Amino acid sequence: MTVVQETPGAPNPNGGIAPIPVRIGGVRGGPPLRKILRRDTWWLQPALTALGLLGFIAYSIWAALRNGDFYAGAYGRDYLSPLYSPCLTHSCTTAGYVWGGWSWWRISPAWLILAFPGAFRTTCYYYRKAYYRSFWLSPPACAVPDAGSTAEGQGLRKRYSGETRFPLILQNIHRYTWYFAVIFAGILTWDAIAAFRFANGIGLGVGTIILVINAVFIWAYTLGCHACRHLCGGGLKHFSKHKGRYWLWKNVLTHLNEHHQLFAWCSLFSIIVSDLYIYLVASGTITDPRIF
Amino acid sequence: MASTTEQAASTTRPAAPSSTARRAVTLRLWRGDADGGRFVDYEVPALEGEVVLDVVHRIQATSAPDLAVRWNCKAGKCGSCSAEINGKPRLMCMTRMSTLPQDEPITVSPMRTFPVIRDLVTDVSYNFTVAAAIPAFSPGPREADGTYRMAQVDVDRSQEFRKCIECFLCQNVCHVIRDHEDNKAHYAGPRFLIRLAELEMHPLDNLDRRRYISEQMGVGLCNITKCCTEVCPEGIHITDNGIIPLKERVVDARYDPVAWLGRKLLGRKAPQSAAEVAAVAPLWRNGAAKHGSAASKDA
Amino acid sequence: MAELERHDVDVLIIGAGGSGLRAAIEASATGARTAVVCKSLLGKAHTVMAEGGVAAALGNVWSEDNWKVHFRDTMRGGKLLNNWRMAQLHAQEAPDRVLELEEWGALFDRTPDGLILQRDFGGHRYARLAHVGDRTGLELLRTVQQRSVSLGVEVFMECKIVRLLHGPSGEVNGAVGLWRESGRFVVFSAKAVVLASGGVGKTWKFTSNSWESTGDGHALALWAGADLIDMEFVQFHPTGMVWPPSARGILVTEGVRGDGGVLRNSEGRRFMFDYIPDFYAKETADSEAEADQWYENKRDFRRPPELLPRDEVARSINSEVKAGRGSPHGGVFLDIASRRSAEDIKRRLPSMYHQFKELADVDITAEPMEVGPTCHYIMGGVRVDGDTAASTVAGLYACGEVAGGMHGANRLGGNSLSDLLVFGRRAGRYAAEHALGITGATVVDEAQVDAVCNEALGYFDGSGENPYAVHQDLQETMQALVGIIRTESELVEAKERLGDFSERAGTVSVEGHRQFNPGWHLALDLQSMLAVANCTTRSAIERKESRGGHTRDDYRESDPDHFGKINMVSRLRDGVVEVSESPLPTMPAELQALFEEGH
Ligand SMILES: Cc1cc2nc3c(=O)[nH]c(=O)nc-3n(C[C@H](O)[C@H](O)[C@H](O)COP(=O)(O)OP(=O)(O)OC[C@H]3O[C@@H](n4cnc5c(N)ncnc54)[C@H](O)[C@@H]3O)c2cc1C
Ligand code: SF4
Ligand code: SF4
Ligand code: FES
Ligand code: FES
């Protein structure tokens, strides 16, 4: 009935001791592979995800190229766009940002900033799922054939090696990107606090609220990270021997982790909204209403 | 997405002549074996409160007595009745007819990741072979009073994975093997990755399976696209609570330079090698021939 | 049939439920070549459905508990008809068997000091059931399954044993099986055979049992010449689902009542207070106020009547429905929603919550469930020796639900899972010992093999009805005439109808070919169900009293002087089931004393 192959072809590519002696081959039931029997709009989710991610990428490229109007100091507001924070380069000085520094850096500071959170998000377990599904089509949706399917010898990609080879094996460095992400979250928190500093003392503007919300989302996203959950307590064998870490793991990180996808999107939007708002204020298009 | 090409090839046979017939539903069942097959439509009266398995049984008892289907408990507890209903991997006994659109035929086809035996029954021996490749539970000694002490908080995580009813729907939906069959030889699949997670998190277990999980069980092949979690009838958080924590543990053992340095400086044990751990796996210890249902059938 | 597939083993175990796998673990540990055969895939056996827990006097929650109390509860629950030796061994060994599961990886729910948590169940004086939420059977089966795999026990899945083979002096020496997948036969030669084939529920219409429970083991033993006892004692679990029709019979765990659920009739009355028998009056609360306090303080208050043994509760529900005080779909209401918080219910009874939500669209945290009795368990079975699990035929052993005697006239909840472990181990050990004591090769009788194969293939030439139709009729007959409440006239009618059934079942016609053909498998299973139906009906006619799982409308009282002292034995003589009385083994004085002290 089925074809038995004691040890199918190549040695175990993962470096293990030997391939598992399973049967390969045999006829699959059901209609031909490419005929999708799902009746729901399975393509909608990956399509929306793709749109959302492309939208963010497009926006951030535009925002980075702008290299201006990222700081609203000129209008009496200490609002710095999260895409430009920490502001360290030449254009920061010219924008009047107090921390301005590296005069040798002439291109947009946003590139520097995008690189770190960019790496964090690129290696994030949630975003991996999102782009593997919507860009790699691997698979686009459940029980829908992978674009690389070799099940009927018609795949785009010959082998599927998941995250076992270069470059995708680099996803394993995610925890290092998290260490940096914590620093960035700290900086954005500082920015949010700074946003209460008005030209004539403490104040609260719409921009302040936006930056505070942004910082909250960033933290919710950063602390909901799987690497963080692992480092805090997930890696332990006996929770009962580490009461404090267990408490944090269970009552804070696990809850945030359950909504990691939500915060991934919320924080993405809040970054865009913050930057856009500050751009509009800094470019003089609108004035930031002061609440008190 | 309903096809018309297949429909042309299928025949419609009325089942159960019923006096109480109100509405009728059409079930489009895959009939066939290793020599090929096709969809056959069966029209049956719709009865209140039925699940897909009930309708399949009604068809079996009236118009297709040789229709092959697996089932046991009819209550979502045994994981026998897995199939693809309107293209989605599900348990037939836990899918109420009323939740499906009734104006068009409801397709029921066998799980596609495993070779078909007949009709809705597939050869799931792959799973039994992999089960034997899992290094066995290795507890420490009992307490002086003959018991084991374990705190509830320490068993919570593994208990979630032990809810698994081995329906193999997650194995079926996982594209790593569904779409790339050659990977079966070096991939445990989500069901057995959570079994490994269960053992790794078991408060009494003393084995360190991390390298084995990476090198032999292929955890790196999973790209965390979460279809396994989506289909699990037990609602086990396979990816978030099982596979991702395993990936993180594998990072500790294989990829994190600081963890490596820490082990060196503090004189901690290096992660156990895959070969060392394989010695406790029944498959490698007893020889492959002993394991897997199919293996013995060929004997 | 020279080309038949053949296997030679020392111990052949029929059944991969809790008892079969426990036997396999034990047998293979002795070095005997052991094989397990089962009708489904490994890990799907009926044991997986057990919910509530496994009874063992671990004393983790109540230090007062010990084997003697457990023994006494078991005997009282069984209306003293139990094989005392089995009840004693069971109570003594269950704690070790449960602890052993932990050594193999089982994860029971824990007490605050890290021991196994135990819960209350009907008929058990103390909270005694080790459990994991409401999926204890799954935990137990998975544990022995994983243990068997790790020991390299050979498992033949989806293979039905059709008949046992016997040697020249009547001893069992093998079996003929049928691969469900290919429809081919396989012959096992074995020095010892252990029956661990589970129950008979599929013989009745409303049942909590799976398709596998067709009484194959009972029939195999009968056909091999072994004695069956107590076949009239069939347990109807008080709480099965009654709606929707397709879910009718599916079990609602007793854990619902143990955790605070109460039974009400259509008038909203907790009617169980009206049905407390004298036998249990001393330990049962007689007011709602007292009953409700028991959940918090079990020391000073008596238990609610909802937790009386199953036969009492099932009969009471039956009476309420008959009196017209039932629920809309012919059951009564089981209400936990008004008594426990939604979170509590979801945490303690997750699969019940799930089951009702999915199957009946009922949210048990908000509305009551509708429940009614469902055929659940057979106390009767193969007559075995208490210590060795040996049947009355040499080389044949039985354990688990297929064995008789352990539970007497009625089984307490949770006592089955412990029974599987205790006697599974014993059967495995003594079967292996027997096998290893036999030298020389096992030679099976080819004429028997041929006859079995020919008979099984004969169904393809049948000209009669569809096997599904015959099965349905048989179930309806048994449900209507040999159900919870029985009378002479109905039983006699059933007996006569069963005569017709054997003719109908013998000539059913099977469509299609041999490969994975469920119609054919059912035709074969029908033979077993008929054998069981015959034994149950015949024994039920003979037992002219009411006791435990056997209630006679025409003999409402129990008769301690005669029927309380005998087992009904069914055996096959010249192709006909014969039923006879056999005296109960007498309990030694020191155990007898446990009942006189009183509690
Ligand atoms: C819904 C439900 C809930 C329950 N809850 C509890 C509980 O909480 N506590 C408790 O103690 N008990 C409970 N029980 C009872 C208990 O689960 C069963 O009595 C017990 O599991 C029977 O186990 P077993 O090993 O004897 O057989 P089973 O688990 O029934 O296994 C029988 C095995 O024999 C095989 N077999 C049968 N016939 C053949 C054949 N001809 N050839 C080959 N193989 C064959 C089958 O394939 C199967 O593998 C419950 C029962 C049900 C139905
Ligand atoms: S998350 Fe991983 S294991 Fe689960 S289906 Fe996707 S690839 Fe397979
Ligand atoms: S993990 Fe879930 S989907 Fe996978 S086999 Fe277990 S119960 Fe089925
Ligand atoms: S940030 Fe998403 S998992 Fe780490
Ligand atoms: S029949 Fe058991 S899960 Fe469906």
mmCIF file of all heavy atoms in Angstrom, chain A residues 17-18 20 23 28 39 125 133 142 150 160 163 175-176 230 237 240, chain B residues 105 112 154 179 185 202 216 220-221 225 227 247-249 252 256 298:
data_model
loop_
_atom_site.group_PDB
_atom_site.id
_atom_site.type_symbol
_atom_site.label_atom_id
_atom_site.label_comp_id
_atom_site.label_asym_id
_atom_site.label_seq_id
_atom_site.Cartn_x
_atom_site.Cartn_y
_atom_site.Cartn_z
ATOM 1 N N ILE A 17 21.171 12.039 15.307
ATOM 2 C CA ILE A 17 21.895 10.779 15.158
ATOM 3 C C ILE A 17 21.532 10.017 13.880
ATOM 4 O O ILE A 17 22.376 9.401 13.274
ATOM 5 C CB ILE A 17 21.701 9.886 16.393
ATOM 6 C CG1 ILE A 17 20.223 9.722 16.698
ATOM 7 C CG2 ILE A 17 22.417 10.476 17.583
ATOM 8 C CD1 ILE A 17 19.956 8.653 17.711
ATOM 9 N N ALA A 18 20.262 10.061 13.476
ATOM 10 C CA ALA A 18 19.845 9.355 12.263
ATOM 11 C C ALA A 18 18.443 9.805 11.932
ATOM 12 O O ALA A 18 17.734 10.288 12.796
ATOM 13 C CB ALA A 18 19.862 7.847 12.506
ATOM 14 N N ILE A 20 14.486 9.494 11.414
ATOM 15 C CA ILE A 20 13.495 8.639 12.050
ATOM 16 C C ILE A 20 12.969 7.691 10.970
ATOM 17 O O ILE A 20 12.593 8.152 9.893
ATOM 18 C CB ILE A 20 12.340 9.471 12.623
ATOM 19 C CG1 ILE A 20 12.876 10.621 13.488
ATOM 20 C CG2 ILE A 20 11.393 8.610 13.438
ATOM 21 C CD1 ILE A 20 11.828 11.669 13.827
ATOM 22 N N ARG A 23 7.637 5.982 7.234
ATOM 23 C CA ARG A 23 7.305 5.733 5.839
ATOM 24 C C ARG A 23 7.173 7.045 5.104
ATOM 25 O O ARG A 23 6.511 7.956 5.582
ATOM 26 C CB ARG A 23 5.968 5.039 5.751
ATOM 27 C CG ARG A 23 5.968 3.747 6.427
ATOM 28 C CD ARG A 23 4.546 3.268 6.528
ATOM 29 N NE ARG A 23 4.610 1.865 6.819
ATOM 30 C CZ ARG A 23 3.795 0.962 6.312
ATOM 31 N NH1 ARG A 23 2.832 1.327 5.521
ATOM 32 N NH2 ARG A 23 3.934 -0.302 6.622
ATOM 33 N N ARG A 28 -2.193 10.163 -0.915
ATOM 34 C CA ARG A 28 -2.987 10.971 0.010
ATOM 35 C C ARG A 28 -4.445 10.958 -0.410
ATOM 36 O O ARG A 28 -4.740 10.954 -1.602
ATOM 37 C CB ARG A 28 -2.493 12.420 0.002
ATOM 38 C CG ARG A 28 -1.002 12.588 0.098
ATOM 39 C CD ARG A 28 -0.493 12.231 1.478
ATOM 40 N NE ARG A 28 0.923 12.574 1.599
ATOM 41 C CZ ARG A 28 1.357 13.721 2.089
ATOM 42 N NH1 ARG A 28 0.519 14.629 2.501
ATOM 43 N NH2 ARG A 28 2.645 13.958 2.180
ATOM 44 N N ARG A 39 -13.993 27.052 2.872
ATOM 45 C CA ARG A 39 -15.050 27.880 2.310
ATOM 46 C C ARG A 39 -15.002 29.302 2.854
ATOM 47 O O ARG A 39 -15.732 30.163 2.430
ATOM 48 C CB ARG A 39 -16.423 27.308 2.719
ATOM 49 C CG ARG A 39 -16.656 25.911 2.260
ATOM 50 C CD ARG A 39 -17.469 25.918 0.981
ATOM 51 N NE ARG A 39 -17.574 24.578 0.457
ATOM 52 C CZ ARG A 39 -18.463 23.700 0.881
ATOM 53 N NH1 ARG A 39 -19.327 24.034 1.810
ATOM 54 N NH2 ARG A 39 -18.501 22.500 0.373
ATOM 55 N N TYR A 125 8.671 36.548 17.514
ATOM 56 C CA TYR A 125 7.931 35.332 17.144
ATOM 57 C C TYR A 125 6.602 35.667 16.470
ATOM 58 O O TYR A 125 6.159 34.977 15.580
ATOM 59 C CB TYR A 125 7.674 34.461 18.377
ATOM 60 C CG TYR A 125 8.898 33.743 18.873
ATOM 61 C CD1 TYR A 125 9.675 34.264 19.900
ATOM 62 C CD2 TYR A 125 9.282 32.519 18.324
ATOM 63 C CE1 TYR A 125 10.801 33.589 20.371
ATOM 64 C CE2 TYR A 125 10.411 31.842 18.786
ATOM 65 C CZ TYR A 125 11.162 32.377 19.811
ATOM 66 O OH TYR A 125 12.260 31.712 20.262
ATOM 67 N N ARG A 133 3.570 33.873 6.963
ATOM 68 C CA ARG A 133 2.275 33.569 6.357
ATOM 69 C C ARG A 133 1.982 34.490 5.178
ATOM 70 O O ARG A 133 1.612 34.025 4.110
ATOM 71 C CB ARG A 133 1.161 33.741 7.394
ATOM 72 C CG ARG A 133 0.989 32.548 8.306
ATOM 73 C CD ARG A 133 -0.395 32.600 8.915
ATOM 74 N NE ARG A 133 -0.598 31.547 9.900
ATOM 75 C CZ ARG A 133 -1.800 31.204 10.351
ATOM 76 N NH1 ARG A 133 -2.876 31.821 9.910
ATOM 77 N NH2 ARG A 133 -1.922 30.251 11.246
ATOM 78 N N CYS A 142 -4.053 28.039 7.300
ATOM 79 C CA CYS A 142 -3.991 26.637 7.698
ATOM 80 C C CYS A 142 -4.723 25.753 6.702
ATOM 81 O O CYS A 142 -5.806 26.100 6.234
ATOM 82 C CB CYS A 142 -4.577 26.468 9.087
ATOM 83 S SG CYS A 142 -3.728 27.529 10.251
ATOM 84 N N THR A 150 6.033 20.659 -1.764
ATOM 85 C CA THR A 150 6.583 19.672 -2.679
ATOM 86 C C THR A 150 5.721 18.422 -2.661
ATOM 87 O O THR A 150 6.098 17.403 -3.208
ATOM 88 C CB THR A 150 8.012 19.298 -2.254
ATOM 89 O OG1 THR A 150 7.996 19.029 -0.855
ATOM 90 C CG2 THR A 150 8.982 20.404 -2.544
ATOM 91 N N TYR A 160 12.242 22.506 2.278
ATOM 92 C CA TYR A 160 11.825 23.445 3.301
ATOM 93 C C TYR A 160 12.704 23.179 4.502
ATOM 94 O O TYR A 160 12.726 22.068 5.021
ATOM 95 C CB TYR A 160 10.356 23.239 3.656
ATOM 96 C CG TYR A 160 9.950 23.971 4.905
ATOM 97 C CD1 TYR A 160 9.556 25.298 4.852
ATOM 98 C CD2 TYR A 160 10.010 23.341 6.144
ATOM 99 C CE1 TYR A 160 9.220 25.986 5.989
ATOM 100 C CE2 TYR A 160 9.676 24.022 7.301
ATOM 101 C CZ TYR A 160 9.281 25.336 7.223
ATOM 102 O OH TYR A 160 8.954 26.011 8.346
ATOM 103 N N GLU A 163 13.662 27.178 10.129
ATOM 104 C CA GLU A 163 14.624 28.103 10.709
ATOM 105 C C GLU A 163 15.908 27.384 11.087
ATOM 106 O O GLU A 163 16.539 27.691 12.087
ATOM 107 C CB GLU A 163 13.993 28.785 11.937
ATOM 108 C CG GLU A 163 12.714 29.541 11.565
ATOM 109 C CD GLU A 163 12.083 30.273 12.735
ATOM 110 O OE1 GLU A 163 12.254 29.832 13.881
ATOM 111 O OE2 GLU A 163 11.408 31.299 12.486
ATOM 112 N N ARG A 175 16.636 37.118 21.547
ATOM 113 C CA ARG A 175 16.744 37.646 22.915
ATOM 114 C C ARG A 175 17.735 38.812 22.994
ATOM 115 O O ARG A 175 17.578 39.691 23.833
ATOM 116 C CB ARG A 175 17.097 36.551 23.910
ATOM 117 C CG ARG A 175 18.461 35.944 23.746
ATOM 118 C CD ARG A 175 18.748 34.949 24.846
ATOM 119 N NE ARG A 175 17.731 33.887 24.855
ATOM 120 C CZ ARG A 175 17.921 32.717 25.454
ATOM 121 N NH1 ARG A 175 19.035 32.459 26.102
ATOM 122 N NH2 ARG A 175 16.976 31.804 25.414
ATOM 123 N N TYR A 176 18.755 38.808 22.130
ATOM 124 C CA TYR A 176 19.695 39.941 22.158
ATOM 125 C C TYR A 176 19.022 41.216 21.660
ATOM 126 O O TYR A 176 19.283 42.302 22.171
ATOM 127 C CB TYR A 176 20.964 39.616 21.361
ATOM 128 C CG TYR A 176 21.819 38.647 22.135
ATOM 129 C CD1 TYR A 176 21.657 37.275 21.979
ATOM 130 C CD2 TYR A 176 22.703 39.112 23.103
ATOM 131 C CE1 TYR A 176 22.381 36.384 22.749
ATOM 132 C CE2 TYR A 176 23.435 38.227 23.876
ATOM 133 C CZ TYR A 176 23.270 36.868 23.697
ATOM 134 O OH TYR A 176 23.982 36.004 24.470
ATOM 135 N N HIS A 230 10.619 33.773 28.766
ATOM 136 C CA HIS A 230 11.520 32.659 29.037
ATOM 137 C C HIS A 230 12.576 33.053 30.063
ATOM 138 O O HIS A 230 12.831 32.325 31.019
ATOM 139 C CB HIS A 230 12.207 32.229 27.741
ATOM 140 C CG HIS A 230 13.314 31.235 27.937
ATOM 141 N ND1 HIS A 230 13.073 29.906 28.154
ATOM 142 C CD2 HIS A 230 14.671 31.393 27.984
ATOM 143 C CE1 HIS A 230 14.233 29.269 28.314
ATOM 144 N NE2 HIS A 230 15.213 30.147 28.211
ATOM 145 N N LYS A 237 12.507 25.113 35.901
ATOM 146 C CA LYS A 237 11.831 23.830 36.027
ATOM 147 C C LYS A 237 10.884 23.858 37.223
ATOM 148 O O LYS A 237 9.782 23.328 37.173
ATOM 149 C CB LYS A 237 12.856 22.722 36.204
ATOM 150 C CG LYS A 237 12.245 21.351 36.132
ATOM 151 C CD LYS A 237 13.159 20.418 35.368
ATOM 152 C CE LYS A 237 12.401 19.191 34.909
ATOM 153 N NZ LYS A 237 12.956 18.623 33.713
ATOM 154 N N SER A 240 7.993 26.609 42.048
ATOM 155 C CA SER A 240 7.757 26.709 43.488
ATOM 156 C C SER A 240 9.011 27.150 44.240
ATOM 157 O O SER A 240 8.930 27.610 45.364
ATOM 158 C CB SER A 240 7.257 25.369 44.024
ATOM 159 O OG SER A 240 8.164 24.346 43.663
ATOM 160 N N PRO B 105 -23.119 21.578 -0.417
ATOM 161 C CA PRO B 105 -22.627 20.324 0.146
ATOM 162 C C PRO B 105 -21.494 20.571 1.148
ATOM 163 O O PRO B 105 -20.673 21.475 0.961
ATOM 164 C CB PRO B 105 -22.106 19.566 -1.073
ATOM 165 C CG PRO B 105 -22.776 20.177 -2.240
ATOM 166 C CD PRO B 105 -23.039 21.605 -1.884
ATOM 167 N N ARG B 112 -4.933 14.901 5.116
ATOM 168 C CA ARG B 112 -4.149 14.719 3.907
ATOM 169 C C ARG B 112 -2.664 14.507 4.139
ATOM 170 O O ARG B 112 -1.923 14.134 3.222
ATOM 171 C CB ARG B 112 -4.421 15.823 2.896
ATOM 172 C CG ARG B 112 -3.724 17.105 3.077
ATOM 173 C CD ARG B 112 -3.768 17.875 1.750
ATOM 174 N NE ARG B 112 -3.218 17.077 0.670
ATOM 175 C CZ ARG B 112 -3.811 16.852 -0.503
ATOM 176 N NH1 ARG B 112 -4.960 17.353 -0.785
ATOM 177 N NH2 ARG B 112 -3.217 16.119 -1.419
ATOM 178 N N ASP B 154 4.044 23.673 39.788
ATOM 179 C CA ASP B 154 5.089 23.047 38.976
ATOM 180 C C ASP B 154 4.534 22.059 37.959
ATOM 181 O O ASP B 154 5.222 21.686 37.005
ATOM 182 C CB ASP B 154 6.100 22.328 39.877
ATOM 183 C CG ASP B 154 6.915 23.310 40.692
ATOM 184 O OD1 ASP B 154 6.952 24.497 40.318
ATOM 185 O OD2 ASP B 154 7.501 22.902 41.713
ATOM 186 N N ASP B 179 3.226 19.632 3.575
ATOM 187 C CA ASP B 179 3.652 20.086 2.260
ATOM 188 C C ASP B 179 5.060 19.644 1.880
ATOM 189 O O ASP B 179 5.489 19.852 0.755
ATOM 190 C CB ASP B 179 3.568 21.613 2.188
ATOM 191 C CG ASP B 179 2.126 22.094 2.206
ATOM 192 O OD1 ASP B 179 1.280 21.393 1.634
ATOM 193 O OD2 ASP B 179 1.846 23.144 2.800
ATOM 194 N N ALA B 185 11.047 12.481 8.244
ATOM 195 C CA ALA B 185 12.150 11.687 8.782
ATOM 196 C C ALA B 185 12.986 12.420 9.826
ATOM 197 O O ALA B 185 13.819 11.809 10.490
ATOM 198 C CB ALA B 185 13.044 11.197 7.652
ATOM 199 N N HIS B 202 8.505 18.850 33.230
ATOM 200 C CA HIS B 202 8.024 17.943 34.285
ATOM 201 C C HIS B 202 8.926 18.092 35.509
ATOM 202 O O HIS B 202 10.138 17.932 35.407
ATOM 203 C CB HIS B 202 8.063 16.505 33.762
ATOM 204 C CG HIS B 202 7.279 15.542 34.581
ATOM 205 N ND1 HIS B 202 7.517 15.328 35.923
ATOM 206 C CD2 HIS B 202 6.237 14.735 34.273
ATOM 207 C CE1 HIS B 202 6.667 14.426 36.385
ATOM 208 N NE2 HIS B 202 5.879 14.047 35.396
ATOM 209 N N GLN B 216 17.523 16.190 16.678
ATOM 210 C CA GLN B 216 16.842 14.991 16.220
ATOM 211 C C GLN B 216 15.347 15.224 15.970
ATOM 212 O O GLN B 216 14.766 14.636 15.080
ATOM 213 C CB GLN B 216 17.023 13.872 17.257
ATOM 214 C CG GLN B 216 16.481 12.528 16.828
ATOM 215 C CD GLN B 216 17.209 11.973 15.611
ATOM 216 O OE1 GLN B 216 18.431 12.057 15.494
ATOM 217 N NE2 GLN B 216 16.452 11.442 14.661
ATOM 218 N N GLY B 220 13.612 23.332 14.961
ATOM 219 C CA GLY B 220 13.924 24.481 14.113
ATOM 220 C C GLY B 220 13.127 24.508 12.815
ATOM 221 O O GLY B 220 13.066 25.529 12.141
ATOM 222 N N LEU B 221 12.524 23.388 12.452
ATOM 223 C CA LEU B 221 11.739 23.383 11.216
ATOM 224 C C LEU B 221 10.407 24.102 11.389
ATOM 225 O O LEU B 221 9.808 24.578 10.436
ATOM 226 C CB LEU B 221 11.478 21.944 10.766
ATOM 227 C CG LEU B 221 12.693 21.200 10.215
ATOM 228 C CD1 LEU B 221 12.353 19.743 9.954
ATOM 229 C CD2 LEU B 221 13.166 21.854 8.925
ATOM 230 N N THR B 225 4.011 29.298 12.681
ATOM 231 C CA THR B 225 2.866 29.908 12.011
ATOM 232 C C THR B 225 1.543 29.507 12.672
ATOM 233 O O THR B 225 0.479 29.904 12.213
ATOM 234 C CB THR B 225 2.876 29.577 10.515
ATOM 235 O OG1 THR B 225 3.399 28.263 10.352
ATOM 236 C CG2 THR B 225 3.754 30.540 9.761
ATOM 237 N N CYS B 227 -0.631 27.063 12.984
ATOM 238 C CA CYS B 227 -1.817 26.333 12.528
ATOM 239 C C CYS B 227 -2.160 25.215 13.495
ATOM 240 O O CYS B 227 -3.332 24.890 13.689
ATOM 241 C CB CYS B 227 -1.589 25.766 11.136
ATOM 242 S SG CYS B 227 -1.625 27.080 9.914
ATOM 243 N N LYS B 247 11.953 26.368 21.831
ATOM 244 C CA LYS B 247 12.931 27.077 21.003
ATOM 245 C C LYS B 247 13.836 27.929 21.883
ATOM 246 O O LYS B 247 15.048 27.998 21.659
ATOM 247 C CB LYS B 247 12.227 27.947 19.961
ATOM 248 C CG LYS B 247 11.682 27.154 18.781
ATOM 249 C CD LYS B 247 11.164 28.091 17.691
ATOM 250 C CE LYS B 247 10.744 27.328 16.445
ATOM 251 N NZ LYS B 247 11.565 27.616 15.267
ATOM 252 N N GLU B 248 13.250 28.572 22.880
ATOM 253 C CA GLU B 248 14.065 29.395 23.770
ATOM 254 C C GLU B 248 15.042 28.539 24.577
ATOM 255 O O GLU B 248 16.174 28.927 24.820
ATOM 256 C CB GLU B 248 13.166 30.213 24.709
ATOM 257 C CG GLU B 248 12.495 31.405 24.022
ATOM 258 C CD GLU B 248 13.494 32.456 23.528
ATOM 259 O OE1 GLU B 248 14.486 32.724 24.242
ATOM 260 O OE2 GLU B 248 13.306 32.981 22.411
ATOM 261 N N ARG B 249 14.578 27.368 24.992
ATOM 262 C CA ARG B 249 15.479 26.485 25.727
ATOM 263 C C ARG B 249 16.615 25.999 24.828
ATOM 264 O O ARG B 249 17.760 25.844 25.268
ATOM 265 C CB ARG B 249 14.711 25.287 26.287
ATOM 266 C CG ARG B 249 13.903 25.659 27.509
ATOM 267 C CD ARG B 249 12.875 24.614 27.887
ATOM 268 N NE ARG B 249 11.991 25.162 28.908
ATOM 269 C CZ ARG B 249 11.855 24.655 30.124
ATOM 270 N NH1 ARG B 249 12.525 23.578 30.474
ATOM 271 N NH2 ARG B 249 11.062 25.225 30.991
ATOM 272 N N ASP B 252 19.214 28.576 24.697
ATOM 273 C CA ASP B 252 20.088 28.455 25.878
ATOM 274 C C ASP B 252 21.180 27.417 25.646
ATOM 275 O O ASP B 252 22.339 27.613 25.985
ATOM 276 C CB ASP B 252 19.287 27.985 27.101
ATOM 277 C CG ASP B 252 18.398 29.079 27.668
ATOM 278 O OD1 ASP B 252 18.648 30.257 27.361
ATOM 279 O OD2 ASP B 252 17.454 28.738 28.420
ATOM 280 N N ASP B 256 23.119 30.687 22.474
ATOM 281 C CA ASP B 256 23.346 31.904 23.250
ATOM 282 C C ASP B 256 24.773 31.923 23.798
ATOM 283 O O ASP B 256 25.113 31.146 24.696
ATOM 284 C CB ASP B 256 22.327 31.967 24.398
ATOM 285 C CG ASP B 256 22.416 33.285 25.149
ATOM 286 O OD1 ASP B 256 23.460 33.963 25.042
ATOM 287 O OD2 ASP B 256 21.455 33.632 25.853
ATOM 288 N N ASP B 298 3.485 -5.496 8.785
ATOM 289 C CA ASP B 298 4.224 -6.011 7.644
ATOM 290 C C ASP B 298 5.041 -7.232 7.994
ATOM 291 O O ASP B 298 5.555 -7.898 7.134
ATOM 292 C CB ASP B 298 5.172 -4.938 7.092
ATOM 293 C CG ASP B 298 4.384 -3.767 6.550
ATOM 294 O OD1 ASP B 298 3.252 -4.002 6.115
ATOM 295 O OD2 ASP B 298 4.903 -2.650 6.579
#
